[in-house]
Amino acid sequence: MRYLCITLGTIFVILGAIGLLIPLLPTTPFLLLAAALYIRSSEKLYLWLINQRMLGPYIRIFMETKAIPLRGKIVSTTMMWCAMGYCIIIVQPLWLKITIAITAIGVTAYILSFKTLKSNKNQNG
């Protein structure tokens, strides 16, 4: 079970890291899953993850505040809408355009449902 948690945690870390580059892939939820799996299987990997320069702040800020920085909300929703808008333009079937639009609206509502972190101190994205 320990190795399964480590393996799944590593997959979620990779997905979270990819999410930094691809707007449709969420970063924080994957990193939170990875942290939960690592804390149950390897304290060393958990400490490594939360102390990572690029990935750690996403986990620490969210765990401490249950809030998303304003910059993170703006960047994630803007990038998502750019990507989704492009997809809506290029796909042909109307049902797929509607599905993409509904998904974008749902994800936007989900992101905006979290409190906005006011302080700029130690924020990364």
Short mmCIF file of all heavy atoms in Angstrom, two decimals, residues 30-88:
data_model
loop_
_atom_site.label_atom_id
_atom_site.label_comp_id
_atom_site.label_asym_id
_atom_site.label_seq_id
_atom_site.Cartn_x
_atom_site.Cartn_y
_atom_site.Cartn_z
N PHE A 30 -4.14 18.62 -7.71
CA PHE A 30 -3.23 17.49 -7.90
C PHE A 30 -2.13 17.50 -6.83
O PHE A 30 -1.75 16.45 -6.30
CB PHE A 30 -2.60 17.50 -9.29
CG PHE A 30 -3.55 17.06 -10.38
CD1 PHE A 30 -3.69 17.82 -11.53
CD2 PHE A 30 -4.29 15.90 -10.27
CE1 PHE A 30 -4.55 17.42 -12.54
CE2 PHE A 30 -5.15 15.49 -11.27
CZ PHE A 30 -5.28 16.25 -12.41
N LEU A 31 -1.62 18.68 -6.52
CA LEU A 31 -0.57 18.76 -5.51
C LEU A 31 -1.10 18.44 -4.13
O LEU A 31 -0.41 17.81 -3.32
CB LEU A 31 0.08 20.15 -5.54
CG LEU A 31 0.83 20.49 -6.83
CD1 LEU A 31 1.38 21.90 -6.77
CD2 LEU A 31 1.94 19.49 -7.12
N LEU A 32 -2.34 18.83 -3.84
CA LEU A 32 -2.94 18.48 -2.55
C LEU A 32 -3.14 16.97 -2.44
O LEU A 32 -2.90 16.37 -1.38
CB LEU A 32 -4.27 19.21 -2.37
CG LEU A 32 -4.17 20.72 -2.16
CD1 LEU A 32 -5.55 21.35 -2.18
CD2 LEU A 32 -3.44 21.05 -0.87
N LEU A 33 -3.56 16.33 -3.53
CA LEU A 33 -3.68 14.87 -3.53
C LEU A 33 -2.32 14.21 -3.31
O LEU A 33 -2.20 13.26 -2.53
CB LEU A 33 -4.27 14.38 -4.85
CG LEU A 33 -5.78 14.48 -5.00
CD1 LEU A 33 -6.18 14.20 -6.45
CD2 LEU A 33 -6.47 13.50 -4.08
N ALA A 34 -1.32 14.72 -4.00
CA ALA A 34 0.03 14.17 -3.84
C ALA A 34 0.50 14.32 -2.39
O ALA A 34 1.05 13.37 -1.81
CB ALA A 34 1.00 14.86 -4.79
N ALA A 35 0.27 15.48 -1.81
CA ALA A 35 0.69 15.72 -0.42
C ALA A 35 -0.03 14.74 0.52
O ALA A 35 0.59 14.19 1.43
CB ALA A 35 0.40 17.16 -0.02
N ALA A 36 -1.33 14.53 0.30
CA ALA A 36 -2.08 13.61 1.15
C ALA A 36 -1.55 12.19 1.03
O ALA A 36 -1.44 11.46 2.03
CB ALA A 36 -3.56 13.65 0.78
N LEU A 37 -1.20 11.78 -0.18
CA LEU A 37 -0.66 10.43 -0.39
C LEU A 37 0.75 10.31 0.21
O LEU A 37 1.08 9.29 0.81
CB LEU A 37 -0.65 10.09 -1.88
CG LEU A 37 -2.03 9.85 -2.48
CD1 LEU A 37 -1.97 9.90 -3.99
CD2 LEU A 37 -2.61 8.53 -2.00
N TYR A 38 1.55 11.33 0.02
CA TYR A 38 2.91 11.29 0.56
C TYR A 38 2.93 11.30 2.09
O TYR A 38 3.73 10.60 2.70
CB TYR A 38 3.74 12.47 0.05
CG TYR A 38 4.26 12.31 -1.37
CD1 TYR A 38 4.78 13.40 -2.04
CD2 TYR A 38 4.25 11.09 -2.03
CE1 TYR A 38 5.29 13.29 -3.33
CE2 TYR A 38 4.74 10.97 -3.32
CZ TYR A 38 5.26 12.06 -3.96
OH TYR A 38 5.76 11.94 -5.23
N ILE A 39 2.04 12.07 2.70
CA ILE A 39 2.05 12.13 4.16
C ILE A 39 1.67 10.78 4.76
O ILE A 39 2.08 10.45 5.87
CB ILE A 39 1.14 13.26 4.69
CG1 ILE A 39 1.60 13.69 6.06
CG2 ILE A 39 -0.32 12.86 4.70
CD1 ILE A 39 1.05 15.03 6.53
N ARG A 40 0.93 9.96 4.02
CA ARG A 40 0.54 8.63 4.49
C ARG A 40 1.58 7.56 4.17
O ARG A 40 1.53 6.47 4.70
CB ARG A 40 -0.80 8.23 3.87
CG ARG A 40 -1.97 8.98 4.45
CD ARG A 40 -3.24 8.74 3.64
NE ARG A 40 -4.39 9.39 4.21
CZ ARG A 40 -4.65 10.69 4.15
NH1 ARG A 40 -3.79 11.50 3.56
NH2 ARG A 40 -5.75 11.20 4.69
N SER A 41 2.52 7.90 3.27
CA SER A 41 3.44 6.86 2.83
C SER A 41 4.92 7.20 3.03
O SER A 41 5.73 6.30 3.20
CB SER A 41 3.20 6.55 1.36
OG SER A 41 3.37 7.70 0.56
N SER A 42 5.26 8.49 2.97
CA SER A 42 6.67 8.85 3.05
C SER A 42 6.82 10.29 3.55
O SER A 42 6.58 11.24 2.80
CB SER A 42 7.33 8.71 1.68
OG SER A 42 8.63 9.25 1.69
N GLU A 43 7.22 10.43 4.80
CA GLU A 43 7.43 11.76 5.35
C GLU A 43 8.50 12.51 4.56
O GLU A 43 8.39 13.72 4.34
CB GLU A 43 7.83 11.67 6.82
CG GLU A 43 7.96 13.03 7.47
CD GLU A 43 8.32 12.95 8.94
OE1 GLU A 43 8.32 11.85 9.53
OE2 GLU A 43 8.61 14.01 9.50
N LYS A 44 9.51 11.79 4.09
CA LYS A 44 10.58 12.40 3.33
C LYS A 44 10.05 13.04 2.04
O LYS A 44 10.38 14.18 1.70
CB LYS A 44 11.64 11.35 3.00
CG LYS A 44 12.83 11.87 2.23
CD LYS A 44 13.83 10.78 1.96
CE LYS A 44 14.97 11.27 1.12
NZ LYS A 44 15.94 10.23 0.82
N LEU A 45 9.19 12.32 1.31
CA LEU A 45 8.63 12.86 0.08
C LEU A 45 7.66 14.00 0.37
O LEU A 45 7.61 14.99 -0.37
CB LEU A 45 7.91 11.76 -0.72
CG LEU A 45 8.84 10.76 -1.41
CD1 LEU A 45 8.04 9.62 -2.02
CD2 LEU A 45 9.68 11.45 -2.47
N TYR A 46 6.89 13.89 1.45
CA TYR A 46 5.97 14.96 1.83
C TYR A 46 6.75 16.24 2.11
O TYR A 46 6.40 17.31 1.60
CB TYR A 46 5.15 14.55 3.05
CG TYR A 46 4.30 15.68 3.59
CD1 TYR A 46 3.15 16.08 2.92
CD2 TYR A 46 4.66 16.36 4.74
CE1 TYR A 46 2.38 17.12 3.40
CE2 TYR A 46 3.90 17.40 5.23
CZ TYR A 46 2.76 17.78 4.55
OH TYR A 46 2.00 18.81 5.02
N LEU A 47 7.80 16.15 2.91
CA LEU A 47 8.61 17.33 3.23
C LEU A 47 9.27 17.90 1.98
O LEU A 47 9.36 19.12 1.81
CB LEU A 47 9.64 16.99 4.30
CG LEU A 47 9.06 16.68 5.68
CD1 LEU A 47 10.16 16.18 6.62
CD2 LEU A 47 8.33 17.88 6.26
N TRP A 48 9.73 17.01 1.10
CA TRP A 48 10.32 17.45 -0.16
C TRP A 48 9.30 18.26 -0.96
O TRP A 48 9.60 19.33 -1.49
CB TRP A 48 10.80 16.25 -0.97
CG TRP A 48 11.15 16.60 -2.39
CD1 TRP A 48 12.33 17.13 -2.83
CD2 TRP A 48 10.31 16.47 -3.54
NE1 TRP A 48 12.26 17.34 -4.20
CE2 TRP A 48 11.04 16.94 -4.64
CE3 TRP A 48 9.02 16.00 -3.74
CZ2 TRP A 48 10.51 16.96 -5.93
CZ3 TRP A 48 8.48 16.02 -5.02
CH2 TRP A 48 9.23 16.49 -6.10
N LEU A 49 8.07 17.75 -1.05
CA LEU A 49 7.04 18.40 -1.85
C LEU A 49 6.65 19.76 -1.29
O LEU A 49 6.62 20.74 -2.03
CB LEU A 49 5.80 17.50 -1.95
CG LEU A 49 4.63 18.06 -2.76
CD1 LEU A 49 5.04 18.33 -4.20
CD2 LEU A 49 3.47 17.07 -2.73
N ILE A 50 6.36 19.83 -0.01
CA ILE A 50 5.91 21.11 0.53
C ILE A 50 7.03 22.14 0.62
O ILE A 50 6.76 23.33 0.74
CB ILE A 50 5.21 20.96 1.90
CG1 ILE A 50 6.15 20.43 2.96
CG2 ILE A 50 3.96 20.12 1.77
CD1 ILE A 50 5.59 20.53 4.36
N ASN A 51 8.28 21.69 0.51
CA ASN A 51 9.41 22.62 0.53
C ASN A 51 9.95 22.93 -0.86
O ASN A 51 10.94 23.67 -0.97
CB ASN A 51 10.52 22.09 1.44
CG ASN A 51 10.10 22.13 2.89
OD1 ASN A 51 9.64 23.16 3.38
ND2 ASN A 51 10.22 21.02 3.58
N GLN A 52 9.32 22.39 -1.89
CA GLN A 52 9.73 22.69 -3.25
C GLN A 52 9.55 24.18 -3.53
O GLN A 52 8.55 24.77 -3.15
CB GLN A 52 8.86 21.91 -4.26
CG GLN A 52 9.34 20.53 -4.56
CD GLN A 52 10.61 20.58 -5.35
OE1 GLN A 52 10.72 21.25 -6.37
NE2 GLN A 52 11.60 19.84 -4.89
N ARG A 53 10.49 24.77 -4.21
CA ARG A 53 10.45 26.20 -4.52
C ARG A 53 9.27 26.55 -5.42
O ARG A 53 8.59 27.55 -5.19
CB ARG A 53 11.76 26.63 -5.18
CG ARG A 53 11.86 28.13 -5.45
CD ARG A 53 13.21 28.52 -6.02
NE ARG A 53 13.50 27.84 -7.26
CZ ARG A 53 13.12 28.29 -8.47
NH1 ARG A 53 12.44 29.38 -8.59
NH2 ARG A 53 13.45 27.62 -9.56
N MET A 54 8.98 25.74 -6.43
CA MET A 54 7.91 26.04 -7.38
C MET A 54 6.55 25.47 -6.96
O MET A 54 5.53 26.09 -7.20
CB MET A 54 8.27 25.48 -8.77
CG MET A 54 9.47 26.12 -9.40
SD MET A 54 9.14 27.78 -9.98
CE MET A 54 8.11 27.44 -11.38
N LEU A 55 6.54 24.29 -6.37
CA LEU A 55 5.28 23.61 -6.08
C LEU A 55 4.80 23.78 -4.64
O LEU A 55 3.60 23.82 -4.39
CB LEU A 55 5.42 22.11 -6.39
CG LEU A 55 5.86 21.75 -7.81
CD1 LEU A 55 6.03 20.25 -7.94
CD2 LEU A 55 4.87 22.27 -8.83
N GLY A 56 5.72 23.89 -3.73
CA GLY A 56 5.37 23.97 -2.31
C GLY A 56 4.42 25.09 -1.93
O GLY A 56 3.48 24.87 -1.17
N PRO A 57 4.62 26.30 -2.47
CA PRO A 57 3.73 27.39 -2.07
C PRO A 57 2.26 27.14 -2.40
O PRO A 57 1.38 27.57 -1.66
CB PRO A 57 4.27 28.59 -2.87
CG PRO A 57 5.72 28.29 -3.04
CD PRO A 57 5.78 26.79 -3.23
N TYR A 58 1.97 26.45 -3.49
CA TYR A 58 0.57 26.14 -3.83
C TYR A 58 -0.09 25.35 -2.70
O TYR A 58 -1.22 25.62 -2.33
CB TYR A 58 0.49 25.33 -5.13
CG TYR A 58 0.80 26.12 -6.36
CD1 TYR A 58 2.08 26.16 -6.89
CD2 TYR A 58 -0.19 26.85 -7.00
CE1 TYR A 58 2.36 26.90 -8.02
CE2 TYR A 58 0.08 27.59 -8.14
CZ TYR A 58 1.36 27.61 -8.65
OH TYR A 58 1.64 28.34 -9.76
N ILE A 59 0.64 24.39 -2.18
CA ILE A 59 0.10 23.53 -1.12
C ILE A 59 0.02 24.30 0.18
O ILE A 59 -1.02 24.32 0.84
CB ILE A 59 0.99 22.28 -0.95
CG1 ILE A 59 1.02 21.48 -2.25
CG2 ILE A 59 0.48 21.42 0.20
CD1 ILE A 59 2.12 20.46 -2.30
N ARG A 60 1.12 24.94 0.56
CA ARG A 60 1.15 25.63 1.85
C ARG A 60 0.12 26.75 1.94
O ARG A 60 -0.60 26.86 2.93
CB ARG A 60 2.56 26.18 2.13
CG ARG A 60 3.58 25.08 2.43
CD ARG A 60 4.87 25.65 2.96
NE ARG A 60 5.42 26.73 2.15
CZ ARG A 60 6.24 26.55 1.11
NH1 ARG A 60 6.60 25.34 0.76
NH2 ARG A 60 6.70 27.58 0.44
N ILE A 61 0.03 27.57 0.92
CA ILE A 61 -0.92 28.68 0.94
C ILE A 61 -2.35 28.17 1.04
O ILE A 61 -3.14 28.65 1.85
CB ILE A 61 -0.74 29.59 -0.31
CG1 ILE A 61 0.56 30.37 -0.21
CG2 ILE A 61 -1.93 30.53 -0.46
CD1 ILE A 61 0.93 31.11 -1.48
N PHE A 62 -2.68 27.18 0.24
CA PHE A 62 -4.05 26.67 0.26
C PHE A 62 -4.36 25.99 1.59
O PHE A 62 -5.45 26.18 2.15
CB PHE A 62 -4.31 25.72 -0.90
CG PHE A 62 -5.76 25.37 -1.03
CD1 PHE A 62 -6.63 26.23 -1.67
CD2 PHE A 62 -6.26 24.21 -0.49
CE1 PHE A 62 -7.99 25.93 -1.77
CE2 PHE A 62 -7.60 23.89 -0.58
CZ PHE A 62 -8.47 24.75 -1.22
N MET A 63 -3.44 25.21 2.11
CA MET A 63 -3.69 24.51 3.37
C MET A 63 -3.83 25.48 4.54
O MET A 63 -4.62 25.25 5.44
CB MET A 63 -2.58 23.49 3.64
CG MET A 63 -2.66 22.28 2.70
SD MET A 63 -1.29 21.13 2.87
CE MET A 63 -1.59 20.47 4.49
N GLU A 64 -3.08 26.56 4.50
CA GLU A 64 -3.13 27.54 5.59
C GLU A 64 -4.34 28.44 5.51
O GLU A 64 -4.91 28.82 6.53
CB GLU A 64 -1.86 28.40 5.58
CG GLU A 64 -0.61 27.64 5.95
CD GLU A 64 0.66 28.43 5.69
OE1 GLU A 64 0.58 29.62 5.31
OE2 GLU A 64 1.75 27.84 5.84
N THR A 65 -4.76 28.82 4.31
CA THR A 65 -5.78 29.86 4.16
C THR A 65 -7.10 29.38 3.57
O THR A 65 -8.10 30.08 3.67
CB THR A 65 -5.26 30.98 3.26
OG1 THR A 65 -5.06 30.46 1.94
CG2 THR A 65 -3.97 31.57 3.80
N LYS A 66 -7.08 28.24 2.89
CA LYS A 66 -8.25 27.77 2.13
C LYS A 66 -8.70 28.87 1.16
O LYS A 66 -9.88 29.07 0.90
CB LYS A 66 -9.41 27.38 3.05
CG LYS A 66 -9.08 26.26 4.00
CD LYS A 66 -8.85 24.96 3.28
CE LYS A 66 -8.72 23.82 4.25
NZ LYS A 66 -7.39 23.31 4.39
N ALA A 67 -7.72 29.61 0.62
CA ALA A 67 -7.99 30.71 -0.29
C ALA A 67 -7.01 30.64 -1.47
O ALA A 67 -5.96 30.02 -1.38
CB ALA A 67 -7.84 32.04 0.43
N ILE A 68 -7.40 31.30 -2.56
CA ILE A 68 -6.57 31.36 -3.76
C ILE A 68 -6.15 32.82 -3.95
O ILE A 68 -6.99 33.72 -3.88
CB ILE A 68 -7.36 30.86 -5.00
CG1 ILE A 68 -7.80 29.41 -4.80
CG2 ILE A 68 -6.53 31.01 -6.26
CD1 ILE A 68 -8.72 28.89 -5.88
N PRO A 69 -4.86 33.07 -4.22
CA PRO A 69 -4.42 34.44 -4.46
C PRO A 69 -5.16 35.06 -5.65
O PRO A 69 -5.51 34.36 -6.61
CB PRO A 69 -2.93 34.30 -4.78
CG PRO A 69 -2.54 32.98 -4.21
CD PRO A 69 -3.75 32.12 -4.28
N LEU A 70 -5.41 36.35 -5.59
CA LEU A 70 -6.12 37.04 -6.66
C LEU A 70 -5.42 36.82 -8.00
O LEU A 70 -6.07 36.54 -9.00
CB LEU A 70 -6.22 38.55 -6.35
CG LEU A 70 -6.92 39.38 -7.41
CD1 LEU A 70 -8.36 38.91 -7.62
CD2 LEU A 70 -6.89 40.86 -7.03
N ARG A 71 -4.11 36.92 -8.00
CA ARG A 71 -3.35 36.71 -9.24
C ARG A 71 -3.60 35.30 -9.79
O ARG A 71 -3.76 35.11 -10.99
CB ARG A 71 -1.85 36.92 -9.00
CG ARG A 71 -1.02 36.71 -10.26
CD ARG A 71 0.47 36.95 -9.98
NE ARG A 71 1.25 36.73 -11.15
CZ ARG A 71 1.71 35.54 -11.55
NH1 ARG A 71 1.45 34.46 -10.84
NH2 ARG A 71 2.43 35.42 -12.64
N GLY A 72 -3.65 34.32 -8.90
CA GLY A 72 -3.92 32.94 -9.33
C GLY A 72 -5.30 32.79 -9.95
O GLY A 72 -5.47 32.10 -10.95
N LYS A 73 -6.29 33.46 -9.36
CA LYS A 73 -7.64 33.42 -9.91
C LYS A 73 -7.68 34.06 -11.30
O LYS A 73 -8.27 33.51 -12.23
CB LYS A 73 -8.63 34.13 -8.99
CG LYS A 73 -8.99 33.36 -7.75
CD LYS A 73 -10.05 34.11 -6.96
CE LYS A 73 -10.55 33.29 -5.79
NZ LYS A 73 -11.65 33.96 -5.09
N ILE A 74 -7.04 35.22 -11.41
CA ILE A 74 -7.06 35.94 -12.68
C ILE A 74 -6.33 35.16 -13.76
O ILE A 74 -6.85 34.96 -14.87
CB ILE A 74 -6.44 37.35 -12.52
CG1 ILE A 74 -7.35 38.21 -11.66
CG2 ILE A 74 -6.20 38.01 -13.87
CD1 ILE A 74 -6.73 39.53 -11.21
N VAL A 75 -5.13 34.69 -13.44
CA VAL A 75 -4.33 33.96 -14.44
C VAL A 75 -5.03 32.66 -14.85
O VAL A 75 -5.15 32.36 -16.04
CB VAL A 75 -2.91 33.68 -13.91
CG1 VAL A 75 -2.17 32.70 -14.80
CG2 VAL A 75 -2.13 34.97 -13.79
N SER A 76 -5.51 31.89 -13.88
CA SER A 76 -6.11 30.60 -14.22
C SER A 76 -7.39 30.76 -15.01
O SER A 76 -7.61 30.06 -16.00
CB SER A 76 -6.35 29.76 -12.95
OG SER A 76 -7.25 30.42 -12.09
N THR A 77 -8.26 31.71 -14.63
CA THR A 77 -9.50 31.87 -15.39
C THR A 77 -9.24 32.47 -16.77
O THR A 77 -9.86 32.04 -17.75
CB THR A 77 -10.54 32.71 -14.62
OG1 THR A 77 -9.97 33.96 -14.25
CG2 THR A 77 -11.04 32.00 -13.39
N THR A 78 -8.31 33.41 -16.85
CA THR A 78 -8.00 34.00 -18.16
C THR A 78 -7.42 32.97 -19.11
O THR A 78 -7.87 32.86 -20.26
CB THR A 78 -7.01 35.17 -18.00
OG1 THR A 78 -7.60 36.16 -17.13
CG2 THR A 78 -6.67 35.80 -19.33
N MET A 79 -6.45 32.20 -18.64
CA MET A 79 -5.84 31.19 -19.50
C MET A 79 -6.85 30.11 -19.89
O MET A 79 -6.89 29.65 -21.03
CB MET A 79 -4.61 30.59 -18.83
CG MET A 79 -3.47 31.58 -18.71
SD MET A 79 -2.02 30.88 -17.92
CE MET A 79 -1.43 29.80 -19.20
N MET A 80 -7.68 29.73 -18.92
CA MET A 80 -8.69 28.71 -19.22
C MET A 80 -9.66 29.21 -20.28
O MET A 80 -9.97 28.50 -21.23
CB MET A 80 -9.45 28.31 -17.96
CG MET A 80 -10.48 27.24 -18.25
SD MET A 80 -11.68 27.03 -16.96
CE MET A 80 -12.41 28.62 -16.84
N TRP A 81 -10.14 30.46 -20.13
CA TRP A 81 -11.11 30.99 -21.09
C TRP A 81 -10.48 31.19 -22.46
O TRP A 81 -11.16 31.00 -23.48
CB TRP A 81 -11.75 32.26 -20.57
CG TRP A 81 -12.93 31.93 -19.71
CD1 TRP A 81 -12.99 31.94 -18.35
CD2 TRP A 81 -14.22 31.49 -20.16
NE1 TRP A 81 -14.23 31.52 -17.93
CE2 TRP A 81 -15.01 31.24 -19.01
CE3 TRP A 81 -14.78 31.25 -21.40
CZ2 TRP A 81 -16.32 30.79 -19.09
CZ3 TRP A 81 -16.09 30.80 -21.48
CH2 TRP A 81 -16.84 30.59 -20.34
N CYS A 82 -9.20 31.54 -22.52
CA CYS A 82 -8.52 31.64 -23.82
C CYS A 82 -8.49 30.27 -24.50
O CYS A 82 -8.82 30.14 -25.68
CB CYS A 82 -7.11 32.19 -23.65
SG CYS A 82 -7.06 33.94 -23.25
N ALA A 83 -8.09 29.26 -23.74
CA ALA A 83 -8.01 27.91 -24.31
C ALA A 83 -9.40 27.38 -24.67
O ALA A 83 -9.60 26.83 -25.76
CB ALA A 83 -7.32 26.97 -23.33
N MET A 84 -10.35 27.55 -23.76
CA MET A 84 -11.71 27.07 -24.03
C MET A 84 -12.35 27.84 -25.18
O MET A 84 -13.06 27.27 -26.00
CB MET A 84 -12.58 27.19 -22.77
CG MET A 84 -12.15 26.29 -21.65
SD MET A 84 -12.51 24.59 -22.01
CE MET A 84 -12.88 23.99 -20.38
N GLY A 85 -12.11 29.16 -25.22
CA GLY A 85 -12.66 29.96 -26.31
C GLY A 85 -12.14 29.50 -27.66
O GLY A 85 -12.89 29.39 -28.63
N TYR A 86 -10.85 29.21 -27.71
CA TYR A 86 -10.26 28.70 -28.94
C TYR A 86 -10.91 27.37 -29.33
O TYR A 86 -11.26 27.15 -30.48
CB TYR A 86 -8.75 28.54 -28.77
CG TYR A 86 -8.09 27.93 -29.98
CD1 TYR A 86 -7.91 28.68 -31.14
CD2 TYR A 86 -7.65 26.61 -29.97
CE1 TYR A 86 -7.31 28.14 -32.25
CE2 TYR A 86 -7.05 26.05 -31.08
CZ TYR A 86 -6.88 26.82 -32.23
OH TYR A 86 -6.30 26.27 -33.33
N CYS A 87 -11.10 26.50 -28.34
CA CYS A 87 -11.73 25.21 -28.61
C CYS A 87 -13.16 25.38 -29.12
O CYS A 87 -13.59 24.69 -30.04
CB CYS A 87 -11.73 24.33 -27.36
SG CYS A 87 -10.09 23.76 -26.88
N ILE A 88 -13.88 26.31 -28.52
CA ILE A 88 -15.26 26.56 -28.95
C ILE A 88 -15.29 27.04 -30.40
O ILE A 88 -16.17 26.66 -31.17
CB ILE A 88 -15.95 27.58 -28.00
CG1 ILE A 88 -16.20 26.93 -26.64
CG2 ILE A 88 -17.25 28.11 -28.61
CD1 ILE A 88 -16.64 27.89 -25.55
#
